Amino acid sequence: MAHIDAGKTTTTERILFYTGINYKIGEVHEGAATMDWMEQEQERGITITSAATTCTWLDHTINIIDTPGHVDFTVEVERSLRVLDGAVAVFDAVAGVEPQSETVWRQADRYGVPRICFVNKMDRVGAEFHRCVDMIVSRLGATPLVIQLPWGVEADFKGVIDLVKMKGLIWSAEAAKGEMYDTVDIPADHAETAREWRDKLIETVAENDDQLMELYLEGTEPTEEQLVAAIRRATLASALNPVLCGTAFKNKGVQPLLDAIVAYLPAPIDIPAFKGHAVGDEEKVVERHADPTEPFSALAFKIMSDQHLGKLTYIRIYSGTLETGTSVVNSVKGKKERIGKIYQMHANKREERSSAAAGAIVAVMGLKDTTTGDTLSDPAHPVVLESMNFPAPVINVAIEPKTKGDQEKLSTAIQRLAEEDPSFQVRRDEETGQTVIWGMGELHLEILVDRMRREFKVEANVGRPQVAYRETIRRKVEKVEYTHKKQTGGSGQFARVIIDLEPLGEGNDGYEFSNKVSGGRIPREYIPSVDAGAQEAAEFGVLAGYPMVGVKVTLQDGTYHEVDSSEMAFKIAGSMAFKEAARRADAVILEPMMAVEVTTPEDYMGDVIGDLNGRRGQIQAMEDRTGAKVINALVPLSEMFGYVGDLRSKTQGRAVYSMQFSSYAEVPPGIAKEIVAKARGE
Ligand SMILES: Nc1nc2c(ncn2[C@@H]2O[C@H](COP(=O)(O)OP(=O)(O)OP(=O)(O)O)[C@@H](O)[C@H]2O)c(=O)[nH]1
């Protein structure tokens, strides 16, 4: 996991080569990386979809998922961190801890994933190992444990000083692909620094591990075995993060990284218990263990449509053993599923297997109703494992088929792509009849439309990207009454409700409903209808039709009629009362704000800042980083369309930027007016 371009794919390609999975190294910039198998990935040199593979090192099986760094594909990181037991955070030794590294680090925190750090690109001009280590402290608030020091830097980078073994590891020029390295005595000019850092290493581990602390207090130098065991315990407890370095591109430092993965990251059996809950009872905790003889349980984390095979469902098996031809239950949806075939995946290649056991990551064919985040379990012992969080999409575009013939293909394409990607959504705009697709950013939607064209042969016209605005209210309104009554049309036409509507408060973008009606003034069976009606109304806000969020509805009172009331009548009353209340509650429009970080040569700093100000940006911070200036700003997403091209032309291609969603904020009144007028077709 890492910020874009830190070198995740390049490092993974070396791993596949050294572990003997591939007989040659595929380079990202040549469009030849195994893990970036999708056409769009090879053309652009970026990872878009997380690819899974499996290799063996020191008699251990390692499942690897190479994740994308671009923020538009954050859902890929989310699902991968959910099913992996450990992670390698890759950093660019020049840029250090970049914004997206920070984001993925927090995601890993959320899932409690132990991790080690790899400071890559030590060969680049401006590489600074210790600055990166300092940033791991200042930006991530983590405890880095330096277990290697770089031996040389930039063009002179030769290898690493291993502080656990107290040896130098040097990659000689003869092994051009870095297959071989020599273990030598630490050179004299590095001896003192190595001793100093070795002391720091032991001190840091001792502070985080009682057993090592005992030895430390006795003044006994730990053996290599004792030290490795202590680092392992502290890493598994997420108390610290071992830090290594190297240059994947120049083939140095990758084998010791593999050694560290085996030595310090958890095997499934190191995890005391995988927690889930009983079907239909979220309070009742059920535990599963990485034991092939326990009842089967697995989490579906990814769906892929294969043109030839149909739907492939990627699963992580937590307990038990899965065999082809057996039946399992999707315990979230309550549906039986039959396991057609089981495949070990190597990026887009697959190898058929007859069974797979706890700890494995495999793809299965034949599942019909399972979607991302669902649990599959032994029908006799169902369990629901914790699912994952998916971010809400922030932009959308209208899409329409070019010809009538494309209409059906478009629907199929959208359906398949939405199955694969939970951050891609589709809605039909009832008023205009348009199909609107929603995603995480311009690049995300561009890739999706491109995939529709290539994989599904759909020709479509795509509108301009629009921001996913929201609406909320600023004021509480009380006792808003609505009576739904129709004289004609028979029974079931009477309902009267009285509601309060209030804001949930800053940062809460949910919806809540509470019922205060007592004494049978409204029969209990009608209450959920009022809630459903209000929720339906909240989907289309009163100002410009954007979803209304951060509101609480309280049903205070109402009346019903013995003969003329129905669920439908109460739903309509709930919906109308909500709309009426929202109109009186000072509704406002919210827009997504992006945290933008621009790295630019000093000469262009004035232009970059001026441009950000012109985009309604608020500059938050400025700092120096190796001959460049780094500017952090908060900018409305609506002003950031096309920024990539504008920045390039303003700085002659010498500045780079990244941005990620920060929060929703109120749109200034002048702009809100324009948005409302546009939505009303004025
Ligand atoms: N100089 C140098 N370049 C490197 C090194 N590792 C990777 N690169 C280059 O950096 C670029 C990005 O590398 P990738 O491996 O695609 O980075 P990534 O983190 O997988 O990128 P995304 O998946 O798109 O986020 C490529 O052009 C690599 O050749 C390194 O150690 N040194």
Side-chain angles (χ1 to χ4, degrees), residues 2-11 27-29 36 45-47 66-70 120-124 246-250:
H3 190 85
I4 192 157
D5 274 357
K8 298 173 289 291
T9 306
T10 306
T11 306
E27 295 294 4
V28 173
H29 65 269
D36 284 352
I46 57 165
T47 303
D66 176 23
T67 61
H70 198 287
N120 186 35
K121 302 202 182 182
M122 283 305 302
D123 61 310
R124 276 187 67 196
T247 157
F249 187 59
K250 298 280 167 64

Side-chain angles (χ1 to χ4, degrees), residues 472-477 501 580-588:
T472 190
I473 53 168
R474 288 286 180 241
R475 198 166 72 84
K476 177 174 181 175
V477 286
L501 184 68
E580 179 55 35
R583 269 192 284 271
R584 293 193 218 156
D586 292 350
V588 292

Side-chain angles (χ1 to χ4, degrees), residues 594-598 612 631-635 640 643 657-659:
M594 309 303 281
V596 179
E597 181 172 298
V598 187
L612 288 171
I631 304 158
N632 284 287
L634 211 54
V635 193
M640 288 300 287
Y643 188 61
Y657 85 104
S658 70
M659 78 175 177

Side-chain angles (χ1 to χ4, degrees), residues 470-472 502 504-505 507-512 538 548-552:
R470 291 174 170 181
E471 296 182 19
T472 190
E502 64 194 295
L504 278 173
N508 188 339
D509 59 6
Y511 163 92
E512 283 175 21
M548 186 163 264
V549 300
V551 291
K552 180 177 176 184

